Amino acid sequence: MKAEALVLSAIFAVLLMLVPVAGGGLGLSWDAINHHIYLGWVADRARFDLDIWPAATQSFQFPYLYWPAYKLYSSGASAMEAGIALAALQCICVPAVWVLARVCIPDRSWFGTGMRAIAMGMAFASSVVLSMFNTTANDLVSAIPLIWAIALVSTNLLEDKKPRRSLVLCMAVGLLCGASVAFKLSNGPIAVSVPLLFLIKVDGRRLTAALTAYVAMIAGFGLAYAPWGLELAHRFGNPVFPHFDSFLGGAAP
């Protein structure tokens, strides 16, 4: 199965990296011009003492996932080079999709391999997903920890694990979910539901597993969001300015 995972993941990663090639290189959308490149610049150096509301509320989004696009732009990379590089980054999700396919189709025959390959193809066949491989958007990158969390918690349904391994699995799932929320707050509704999948498997540790994942999720969010949250808190008085400012207080200096 390990060989299959490597081969199918490599094949789909190459195919997905060819998406920007087929399109003639990375495309610059309105969002890229409006705030994607700027946020990458902010990741390099916070500019709140120089720029006032340059991209409206989007100026305060978590900026670090946009840093690769900014660095490629500022280094003079061509549209083709930038497209392939950013597509390769997004392909980190491909092995997780194979894991999900294996959970759904555990058959170890060649037929099972073929079905898993078809399942992976269907997973990436959406025009919304494919469009991510030809833009500077960070939606898929921010979702990668969440996809991996769902893949890992799904393996809990497939095979029994020793208590120590189960604890590591619960913590990993929670940390990944928390990181995904830090990357993009809109991932929250899905992320908070992922640990509930531990409750599906019938054993005496299922509630403990879910609670462990939730504790780890809080820690994962805090660790991932801390650099940006502390920067915003220092500048504006709350860690998510200007979002929820009426609830958290604080104001721009």
Side-chain angles (χ1 to χ4, degrees):
M1 295 294 269
K2 290 183 179 178
E4 178 191 308
L6 289 172
V7 171
L8 288 182
S9 295
I11 290 173
F12 276 93
V14 171
L15 291 174
L16 291 169
M17 288 167 63
L18 289 176
V19 171
V21 175
L26 184 70
L28 287 178
S29 65
W30 162 250
D31 285 336
I33 298 171
N34 180 48
H35 66 278
H36 289 180
I37 303 299
Y38 176 78
L39 284 171
W41 193 8
V42 169
D44 242 19
R45 180 181 182 277
R47 301 177 51 81
F48 297 122
D49 55 336
L50 301 174
D51 305 324
I52 306 300
W53 209 253
T57 57
Q58 293 155 327
S59 307
F60 306 92
Q61 289 180 0
F62 188 86
Y64 305 115
L65 298 186
Y66 292 106
W67 182 84
Y70 161 75
K71 206 64 181 177
L72 289 164
Y73 171 79
S74 62
S75 64
S78 68
M80 193 68 70
E81 292 168 339
I84 294 173
L86 294 179
L89 180 63
Q90 295 178 97
C91 284
I92 297 173
C93 71
V94 174
V97 174
W98 178 86
V99 172
L100 287 169
R102 176 177 173 260
V103 170
C104 296
I105 311 169
D107 186 89
R108 291 177 175 269
S109 67
W110 284 107
F111 174 80
T113 298
M115 291 297 100
R116 283 186 286 275
I118 292 173
M120 291 179 71
M122 292 174 65
F124 290 108
S126 166
S127 59
V128 175
V129 175
L130 290 176
S131 68
M132 294 295 104
F133 287 89
N134 197 36
T135 70
T136 56
N138 75 342
D139 299 78
L140 184 54
V141 178
S142 67
I144 286 174
L146 190 56
I147 297 170
W148 270 105
I150 295 171
L152 290 177
V153 74
S154 297
T155 63
N156 187 60
L157 308 176
L158 188 64
E159 53 193 39
D160 292 324
K161 297 183 182 297
K162 296 178 181 179
R164 191 170 183 178
R165 289 183 62 192
S166 295
L167 176 62
V168 173
L169 175 67
C170 297
M171 294 179 65
V173 168
L175 289 170
L176 288 167
C177 286
S180 74
V181 179
F183 294 163
K184 202 151 199 171
L185 297 178
S186 57
N187 287 334
I190 298 176
V192 297
S193 65
V194 173
L196 296 178
L197 294 174
F198 281 115
L199 301 179
I200 296 176
K201 192 166 186 177
V202 181
D203 61 45
R205 297 186 301 272
R206 52 184 177 169
L207 182 58
T208 301
L211 292 175
T212 301
Y214 278 119
V215 173
M217 184 187 301
I218 296 172
F221 175 84
L223 289 171
Y225 194 76
W228 186 237
L230 291 173
E231 176 70 28
L232 292 183
H234 170 70
R235 299 277 187 172
F236 305 106
N238 80 64
V240 289
F241 181 84
H243 312 289
F244 307 113
D245 194 47
S246 59
F247 297 98
L248 297 175

